[in-house]
């Protein structure tokens, strides 16, 4: 399967990417950031509105 085909399938259905970042010094958490991103094609998002 080509990379373009794989990318087309992922964007047609959509995918959610999540991650967490914690900055700490001497085992003391100073900053905690949670990230969540939705990747999808515009046509897939518009099809969900109808």
């Amino acid at each position: 399967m080509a990379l373009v085909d794989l990318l087309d399938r992922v964007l047609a259905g959509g995918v959610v990417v999540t991650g967490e970042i914690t900055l700490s010094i001497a085992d003391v958490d100073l900053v905690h950031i949670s990230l969540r991103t939705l990747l999808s094609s515009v046509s897939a998002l518009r099809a969900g509105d109808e």
Side-chain angles (χ1 to χ4, degrees), residues 7-46:
L7 200 60
D8 186 47
R9 281 188 184 213
V10 167
L11 291 178
V15 65
V16 176
V17 178
T18 60
E20 293 186 1
I21 299 172
T22 303
L23 299 176
S24 61
I25 295 177
D27 292 331
V28 176
D29 294 344
L30 300 176
V31 177
H32 181 82
I33 302 171
S34 295
L35 306 170
R36 184 172 296 161
T37 304
L38 171 66
L39 300 174
S40 180
S41 66
V42 173
S43 60
L45 288 174
R46 293 194 65 151

